[in-house]
Amino acid sequence: MLRPKVPTNPIPTGLVTPPVVVEPTAVIPSTPTPAPQPVSLVPAAPASSRPTVQLTPGALVAVVGGGTVAVLVVGAVLVSLLLAVAITGVSVAVCAVVLRSLLTSQTKRHR
């Protein structure tokens, strides 16, 4: 019923050119030139023009406090999501028990 059709390669039409042959060329080594010596006309500049970051005690407390708040918020969100999943699972289980009880009581009445 469902048989795959294998495609066939058509016969090439038109002008077919032969592949181009690439001939290697010889590499002639040259004499190495000496590297130029660095010349310093400008006095040495400082290594970094950016200011270094210095944490004061107040800034350090703010960074630690901000990190603590972020961890507590993320933890509270994750715990609330886990609690929502647990409550949903318990409610589905209670519904299943109630439905099973109703169905078994109906079948007992009809006998």
Side-chain angles (χ1 to χ4, degrees):
M1 186 168 114
L2 297 174
R3 292 184 180 217
K5 293 182 180 180
V6 179
T8 58
N9 290 332
I11 299 173
T13 58
L15 182 63
V16 179
T17 58
V20 178
V21 178
V22 178
E23 295 180 10
T25 58
V27 177
I28 302 171
S30 63
T31 58
T33 57
Q37 297 294 328
V39 177
S40 176
L41 299 176
V42 180
S48 176
S49 61
R50 295 184 296 168
T52 58
V53 177
Q54 294 179 352
L55 288 177
T56 61
L60 187 61
V61 168
V63 169
V64 170
T68 304
V69 168
V71 167
L72 289 177
V73 168
V74 170
V77 169
L78 291 178
V79 167
S80 64
L81 287 173
L82 182 63
L83 186 61
V85 170
I87 290 173
T88 304
V90 169
S91 64
V92 168
V94 168
C95 289
V97 168
V98 169
L99 283 174
R100 183 177 177 189
S101 173
L102 288 174
L103 289 175
T104 56
S105 67
Q106 265 187 343
T107 56
K108 287 182 182 179
R109 287 183 191 168
H110 289 292
R111 288 185 184 183

